[in-house]
Amino acid sequence: MQRASMKHLIDILRAEHHLESNGYKALLECDDDSVVAYLHEQAREVAQGVFARGIFVRGLVELTNVCRNDCYYCGIRNSNTALERYMLTTEQVLQSCQQGYELGFRTFVLQGGELPRDKAQWLVELVSEIRQRWSDCAITLSLGEWPREVYVALRKAGADRYLLRHESHNAEHYAKLHPAEMSLENRLQCLTWLKELGYQVGTGIMTGSPWQSLDNIVEDIEFIERFKPQMIGLGPFVPQHDTPLGKFATGSAELTCRLYSIFRLMFPNALIPSTTALNTIDVKGRIKGIMAGANVVMPNLSPANVRGNYALYDGKAITNAEAAEGIEQLETQLSTIGYHIDWGRGDHKQCTIHNA
Ligand code: SAH
């Protein structure tokens, strides 16, 4: 497609928040730098229209690297015996939250491997305790797949949001990334339950995961378009050497940023983190993500001695502006591009302020 018609396509996406499949595909395939720059610029403008130049921060507490699942890409998969397993105590989690609260965080994200089913009650009590201590904070969970009643109990205990990437909306591709016990169907069922239960829901994919085609990504975009999550999580695939997919190539920062922009134009109000994985493969990743329309960063609040063991992928950035203690560094980094931290809870706005 000609440059002018590609730009026209981007204008349509901005105005109508939707394209036909071949339009999304054309944006993903486009190798004209000036078109990609235009895409990022439009997305940035839209993000600024909704969020000004504020970037929300979420304090990430990596609860555990114990996991009952065995995703082929993930370093904390059950079969990885090269990893020392840990589980934070209630006290450690509360201390991390306390430290985060003092630094100014008003959202805590509890993320972890998928604990054995008999740990559900512990999780419920933990959420309930956090809710009582910090009633002004949002609690986000990213703890994988559970039966519906566990999601119900966690929501009642005070959880507000849930992140569960669908990973791939193509069943064949999904099956290449996960063992037979896991299914796309169950993943999607969980996402539907979470939404029904009134969580603000986040979903997404790894860009450049093994065997992923651009057509697969178009399917993911179209699923997200229908599902309308409040949060969209996207990071490049990064191999982890002790996993079956450890020899595959790293995903692309460029494609990840391009997707941030596409999703920003589709969903002006969405909460889109500039992810740690992006910042791991590109030293300027966080900033590039924001310049492409992302509006959230998730610094690490986990106790320093366990961070190295939450080894989802090789080289995971765990220090400096990626860590809660590095919040000043983050402020400085954001100020160089004219942005700042927005210390609010940053709930998803239901109202639609388009193209301000
Ligand atoms: N157990 C939870 C949390 C998993 S970790 C869950 O399954 O939802 C959160 C995200 O990290 C996953 O959804 C996955 O997309 C990402 N991740 C895992 N391994 C990765 C890898 N090798 N490279 C990049 N991202 C990875």
Side-chain angles (χ1 to χ4, degrees):
M1 228 186 272
Q2 297 292 316
R3 181 175 293 177
S5 35
M6 285 302 296
K7 289 189 175 172
H8 182 57
L9 203 59
I10 295 167
D11 294 338
I12 294 175
L13 182 58
R14 178 170 174 169
E16 296 176 9
H17 317 296
H18 165 79
L19 292 177
E20 299 301 321
S21 320
N22 56 5
Y24 292 126
K25 179 95 180 273
L27 286 181
L28 296 175
E29 274 174 340
C30 175
D31 57 4
D32 182 333
D33 289 347
S34 82
V35 171
V36 176
Y38 184 75
L39 174 70
H40 293 327
E41 189 185 300
Q42 297 305 304
R44 199 158 62 234
E45 262 182 43
V46 168
Q48 287 174 7
V50 181
F51 304 100
R53 286 167 176 256
I55 298 296
F56 294 119
V57 287
R58 297 9 182 143
L60 183 64
V61 182
E62 295 160 337
L63 275 193
T64 181
N65 66 359
V66 172
C67 193
R68 68 180 122 86
N69 278 339
D70 219 15
C71 309
Y72 298 147
Y73 45 83
C74 183
I76 65 169
R77 65 196 299 266
N78 191 271
S79 305
N80 183 5
T81 52
L83 192 67
E84 194 187 322
R85 301 285 167 169
Y86 76 89
M87 196 167 139
L88 298 184
T89 61
T90 302
E91 211 35 55
Q92 282 177 306
V93 177
L94 296 174
Q95 267 168 21
S96 300
C97 294
Q98 178 62 33
Q99 188 205 354
Y101 192 85
E102 284 165 15
L103 286 166
F105 288 88
R106 292 298 176 268
T107 293
F108 304 125
V109 181
L110 307 185
Q111 190 182 78
E114 314 206 5
L115 285 168
R117 308 266 180 204
D118 61 5
K119 286 285 185 287
Q121 190 51 32
W122 176 73
L123 289 172
V124 170
E125 284 161 20
L126 180 65
V127 169
S128 169
E129 188 62 36
I130 297 173
R131 172 50 61 239
Q132 278 167 37
R133 292 205 192 188
W134 296 286
S135 57
D136 55 335
C137 291
I139 303 175
T140 305
L141 304 178
S142 176
L143 301 167
E145 298 177 25
W146 290 90
R148 188 176 189 279
E149 61 268 22
V150 176
Y151 291 143
V152 172
L154 290 166
R155 175 95 182 107
K156 274 201 190 130
D160 307 283
R161 308 180 184 142
Y162 207 104
L163 305 173
L164 185 72
R165 291 187 183 169
H166 66 285
E167 313 292 1
S168 170
H169 197 264
N170 179 284
E172 233 169 85
H173 182 226
Y174 187 93
K176 289 185 177 166
L177 302 176
H178 300 94
E181 313 83 77
M182 294 180 73
S183 71
L184 174 61
E185 202 184 345
N186 193 57
R187 199 90 178 160
L188 298 178
Q189 175 65 78
C190 289
L191 283 166
T192 305
W193 286 333
L194 290 164
K195 210 166 192 202
E196 281 167 10
L197 293 170
Y199 286 91
Q200 290 177 40
V201 181
T203 196
I205 58 167
M206 292 177 289
T207 48
S209 61
W211 303 287
Q212 181 188 60
S213 64
L214 291 186
D215 286 318
N216 291 151
I217 300 182
V218 172
E219 288 177 66
D220 293 316
I221 293 175
E222 294 188 323
F223 162 65
I224 290 176
E225 182 164 8
R226 290 191 300 277
F227 185 68
K228 301 184 178 41
Q230 283 84 10
M231 303 170 284
I232 301 166
L234 302 165
F237 164 75
V238 187
Q240 202 286 347
H241 64 279
D242 290 314
T243 62
L245 306 183
K247 295 216 157 38
F248 279 81
T250 300
S252 136
E254 204 277 329
L255 183 61
T256 303
C257 289
R258 199 180 290 206
L259 283 164
Y260 290 163
S261 296
I262 292 175
F263 284 118
R264 174 60 64 212
L265 296 178
M266 291 170 72
F267 297 103
N269 303 332
L271 298 157
I272 304 179
S274 184
T275 53
T276 302
L278 174 62
N279 208 44
T280 295
I281 66 160
D282 183 330
V283 283
K284 297 210 175 99
R286 184 186 304 102
I287 296 298
K288 288 185 184 169
I290 291 167
M291 298 305 274
N295 72 319
V296 176
V297 296
M298 297 167 67
N300 198 319
L301 276 181
S302 310
N305 62 323
V306 303
R307 284 183 199 168
N309 285 333
Y310 195 75
L312 302 179
Y313 46 82
D314 289 339
K316 184 162 159 279
I318 53 173
T319 54
N320 302 328
E322 211 51 71
E325 321 80 78
I327 205 79
E328 280 176 24
Q329 222 170 308
L330 177 63
E331 274 281 22
T332 310
Q333 203 183 36
L334 292 178
S335 70
T336 61
I337 51 165
Y339 283 68
H340 59 270
I341 293 177
D342 183 329
W343 288 105
R345 269 175 56 127
D347 284 291
H348 179 261
K349 300 182 188 184
Q350 295 302 334
C351 60
T352 311
I353 311 167
H354 288 163
N355 305 344

